[in-house]
């Protein structure tokens, strides 16, 4: 049991447009520079979505491989590729993300309304993703957008066994219109439901937009870990755009230190998550 805080940075996402958010890292150079800055101020995991030459969301396999290689050669961060992609990506491309050989990949535990769209995650698709990750030694982060997704995770683990590495880590994504709200009460309800999952299961949490700070503070105060980044919020405070992902990571690290749960190094985070050393 660690007393430190795992800080994941989600720098890009698939939802914001570069034209609207100029500070969003969309090229490989921008992503690597962001990764280095965020590592320097306390991130240990990077949750990666990539963009194409027009800055549109992409799951291009060649680009994904190059991205994993570039992040590994420039940082010690744990590289977690998004298998969620954008709401428009087909299942085949989302499964093929694993071919890029990341340390981790996200695995969303159910379908959810996503603003005006639907983020589709059929049961058979989830099973496919989970079992392929087991075969390849890719450690999942189970993305939980709603309370019922934890029930689906329990079913998944009961039927198909523990993930690669043997440790279960979930991330609560809170405040998506269509999912659970970004409130302390919702996070406490999730934590209570976690009791049904294998002993030692860890969680991080992120709040979308204005839910960023309530979720961050509640997670930190209740033994959870943190995810921050421009995938989840592009506003630092009311009316104040985020300047950089490092600004969000630095704020999360400062809160973690104040809580006497300082940021974990990437090596400590590997240990926590059951990922072999590099
Ligand atoms: N972009 C969302 C539709 C993930 O990365 O796995 C899905 C998402 C979750 O961001
Ligand atoms: Zn994502």
């Amino acid at each position: 049991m660690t007393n430190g805080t795992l800080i994941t940075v989600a720098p890009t996402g698939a939802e914001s447009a570069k034209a609207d958010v100029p500070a969003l890292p969309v090229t490989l150079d921008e992503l690597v520079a962001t990764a280095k800055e965020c590592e320097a101020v306390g991130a240990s995991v990077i949750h990666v979505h990539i963009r194409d030459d027009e800055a549109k969301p992409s799951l291009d396999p060649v680009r994904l491989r190059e991205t994993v290689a570039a992040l590994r050669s420039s940082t010690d961060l744990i590289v977690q590729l998004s298998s969620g992609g954008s709401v428009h990506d087909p299942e085949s491309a989302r499964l093929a993300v694993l071919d890029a050989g990341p340390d981790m990949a996200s695995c969303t535990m159910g379908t959810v309304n996503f603003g005006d769209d639907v983020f589709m995650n059929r049961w058979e698709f989830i099973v496919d993703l989970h079992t392929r990750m087991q075969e390849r030694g890719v450690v999942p982060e189970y993305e939980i957008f709603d309370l019922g997704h934890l029930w689906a995770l329990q079913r998944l683990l009961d039927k198909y066994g523990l993930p690669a590495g043997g440790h279960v880590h979930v991330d609560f994504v809170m405040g998506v219109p269509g999912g659970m709200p970004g409130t302390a009460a919702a996070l406490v309800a999730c934590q209570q439901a976690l009791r049904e999952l294998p002993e030692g299961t860890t969680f991080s949490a992120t709040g979308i937009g204005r839910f960023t700070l309530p979720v961050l503070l509640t997670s930190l105060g209740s033994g959870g870990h943190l995810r921050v980044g421009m995938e989840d919020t592009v506003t630092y405070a009311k009316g104040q755009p985020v300047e950089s992902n490092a600004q969000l990571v630095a704020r999360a690290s400062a809160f973690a230190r104040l809580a006497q749960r300082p940021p974990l190094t990437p090596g400590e985070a590997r240990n926590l998550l059951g990922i072999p050393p590099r």
Side-chain angles (χ1 to χ4, degrees):
M1 178 79 185
T2 176
N3 198 37
T5 304
L6 175 84
I7 300 180
T8 298
V9 62
T12 308
E15 282 71 40
S16 290
K18 179 77 168 171
D20 299 333
V21 187
L24 198 70
V26 295
T27 67
L28 184 53
D29 286 350
E30 287 171 347
L31 182 66
V32 169
T34 297
K36 286 161 121 172
E37 288 166 18
C38 291
E39 183 179 18
V41 292
S44 50
V45 179
I46 185 164
H47 169 86
V48 179
H49 290 253
I50 61 165
R51 300 291 177 102
D52 65 15
D53 287 338
E54 272 134 35
K56 297 261 164 35
S58 168
L59 291 179
D60 178 75
V62 175
R63 248 173 223 255
L64 282 171
R65 270 188 191 281
E66 284 169 2
T67 302
V68 172
L71 289 170
R72 285 209 174 119
S73 72
S74 305
T75 74
D76 286 329
L77 293 171
I78 295 166
V79 180
Q80 179 191 106
L81 290 183
S82 166
S83 73
S86 88
V87 290
H88 308 293
D89 285 316
E91 290 179 350
S92 56
R94 292 173 58 191
L95 288 170
V97 161
L98 301 181
D99 296 342
D103 301 300
M104 295 183 83
S106 55
C107 178
T108 296
M109 286 312 305
T111 296
V112 64
N113 284 319
F114 199 83
D116 295 340
D117 295 304
V118 177
F119 180 28
M120 186 65 81
N121 293 283
R122 295 181 311 115
W123 175 249
E124 287 83 357
F125 172 72
I126 294 170
V127 169
D128 216 355
L129 196 51
H130 174 77
T131 50
R132 286 186 199 207
M133 280 198 258
Q134 282 174 324
E135 285 158 19
R136 292 163 189 231
V138 176
V139 172
E141 175 178 275
Y142 299 104
E143 307 296 337
I144 309 296
F145 287 74
D146 218 338
L147 189 61
H149 292 183
L150 283 175
W151 173 235
L153 177 56
Q154 193 187 343
R155 180 179 175 218
L156 183 76
L157 299 176
D158 282 351
K159 282 181 98 118
Y160 297 96
L162 288 170
H167 177 81
V168 179
H169 180 70
V170 308
D171 178 47
F172 298 121
V173 185
M174 309 181 69
V176 168
M180 64 182 149
T183 59
L187 187 49
V188 170
C190 285
Q191 280 180 255
Q192 283 170 349
L194 276 186
R195 292 187 195 141
E196 305 300 321
L197 289 171
E199 203 177 329
T201 296
T202 50
F203 72 94
S204 57
T206 185
I208 303 301
R210 69 182 188 282
F211 297 110
T212 298
L213 286 174
V215 168
L216 183 152
L217 293 169
T218 308
S219 186
L220 205 48
S222 55
H225 300 278
L226 306 177
R227 172 174 126 172
V228 294
M230 295 175 77
E231 171 164 347
D232 301 334
T233 185
V234 292
T235 306
Y236 189 76
K238 201 169 180 195
Q240 188 183 338
V242 170
E243 285 167 15
S244 69
N245 280 286
Q247 184 190 29
L248 294 170
V249 175
R251 178 170 68 178
S253 295
F255 277 125
R257 284 195 195 89
L258 275 174
Q260 303 199 1
R261 295 188 47 212
L264 295 179
T265 64
E268 291 167 336
R270 280 178 183 271
N271 206 20
L272 176 78
L273 297 168
I275 303 172
R278 285 261 291 273

